[in-house]
Amino acid sequence: MRKKIAKITGVAGYVPDYVLTNAELETMVETNDEWIRTRTGIEERRILKDKSKASSDMGAEAVKLLLEKTGVSPDEIDLLICATATPDMLFPDTANVIRDKVGIKSGFGFELSAACSGFLYALTVGAKFVETGLKKVIVVGADKMSSIIDYTDRTTCILFGDASAAVMLEPSEDGTGILDSVLESDGVGRNFLYQKAGGSLHPATQETVANKEHFIYQEGRTVFKYAINGMVSSIKQVLEQNNLKKEDVQWLVPHQANMRIINGVANMFDFPKEKVMVNIQKYGNTTTATIPLCLWEWEDRLNKGDNLILTAFGGGFTWGATLLKWGY
Ligand code: UT7
């Protein structure tokens, strides 16, 4: 008997209207368009300007569109997992805020925290729930990165943008779907990429605010090296475990943190440019939204049966690779 697996049956995304260009960043910090383009590949990113809106509002927009596209009604949803590094609040969790904003009363929801690998982790967890009996699971990545960026720090403010994107998971009848995942993590990474204050170790005080400890801190060069090594090793492992050669893969869907990292990973496997999904130039690094945002943009070009490898690296450190056979 064929093992029950989950497949993606729909994908939708949301990006805010405001476009923050490299030219505008030049007026804010000592940087320039050429440096940003050549070092990162980013040309512009989207920013949620409305201060009354949060990650959940972007997540809710993506989920509403997903329900519309798939023709699924909110009361059919068994589970909604929200991956985010920028929850609306420390608690309650953002998944349940999204569920409320969309009108989902059935089933349950929870938030999952794995920084830029959040979507990959959440997709794997969501798939496991489908494998054990749930029928309709939504996985959404939503991040208002602008809420934790110091727009006077040129080393981080050029990198990130705001967005969300979501997928529907349902049981697969035809062998397509999420076939395997290699997920890894190493807490040594907590020293190189973090938001210091706001948790139980350093609760908010006047000092933490004055010292800008509620913003992202990153040692870029160290993260860069770990990112390439991590993604390459998990892609290798997932290929080996499934007796696949790199030629068997139609699409590489990498986390969009830096064009040089994406090229570094793709080159290790000789993946030609045409097989690699890249939209970093338009959105920058949207943390948990990068991978589903790519799937959303490429949806029309995907064919049933295509083998996709999704790969990510993020704070923690967390990283991994997922192999899936596109289902529609
Ligand atoms: O998604 C989560 C995981 N995160 C990542 O994967 C990000 C990994 N890291 C990176 O993408 C890159 O390390 C960065 C894009 C963050 C930085 O690029 P880099 O090539 O590693 O630059 P660097 O930090 O080595 O800095 C090179 C120079 C420095 O000047 P000096 O010391 O050589 O004089 C920086 O001060 O570039 C300078 N610099 C800038 N110059 C203009 C740093 N940021 C900027 C800037 N504009 N925005």
Side-chain angles (χ1 to χ4, degrees), residues 168-198:
M168 182 76 72
L169 293 177
E170 297 184 65
S172 172
E173 311 287 333
D174 58 11
T176 65
I178 293 155
L179 300 178
D180 197 13
S181 278
V182 171
L183 300 180
E184 299 180 76
S185 63
D186 184 346
V188 73
R190 72 190 191 281
N191 300 314
F192 305 110
L193 179 50
Y194 55 81
Q195 179 191 329
K196 187 170 181 183

Side-chain angles (χ1 to χ4, degrees), residues 205-276:
T205 62
Q206 287 182 351
E207 284 73 38
T208 64
V209 173
N211 294 336
K212 300 186 166 189
E213 291 170 1
H214 295 268
F215 294 127
I216 281 190
Y217 169 83
Q218 172 171 251
E219 278 183 32
R221 277 183 227 187
T222 310
V223 179
F224 190 100
K225 283 186 211 138
Y226 272 95
I228 296 191
N229 291 340
M231 288 192 276
V232 166
S233 83
S234 32
I235 294 172
K236 267 190 190 147
Q237 197 179 327
V238 88
L239 286 175
E240 268 168 36
Q241 278 175 196
N242 293 277
N243 297 318
L244 288 176
K245 297 193 287 295
K246 56 192 189 218
E247 296 78 24
D248 300 322
V249 177
Q250 277 72 42
W251 296 100
L252 179 69
V253 194
H255 170 54
Q256 313 277 306
N258 187 317
M259 195 59 221
R260 290 184 294 140
I261 296 178
I262 295 171
N263 287 338
V265 173
N267 290 343
M268 287 297 287
F269 297 93
D270 298 324
F271 284 130
K273 259 193 188 152
E274 312 76 66
K275 281 182 156 192
V276 185

Side-chain angles (χ1 to χ4, degrees), residues 29-33 35-36 38-40 42 115-117 153-160 193 218-228 231 255-261 285-287 290 313-315 317:
V29 287
E30 202 184 325
T31 190
N32 58 78
D33 178 53
W35 191 97
I36 304 174
T38 53
R39 296 290 181 123
T40 71
I42 303 168
C116 293
S117 307
D153 174 9
R154 69 175 183 174
T155 67
T156 51
C157 75
I158 56 142
L159 298 172
F160 294 92
L193 179 50
Q218 172 171 251
E219 278 183 32
R221 277 183 227 187
T222 310
V223 179
F224 190 100
K225 283 186 211 138
Y226 272 95
I228 296 191
M231 288 192 276
H255 170 54
Q256 313 277 306
N258 187 317
M259 195 59 221
R260 290 184 294 140
I261 296 178
N285 183 348
T286 57
T287 302
T290 58
F313 185 91
F317 293 132

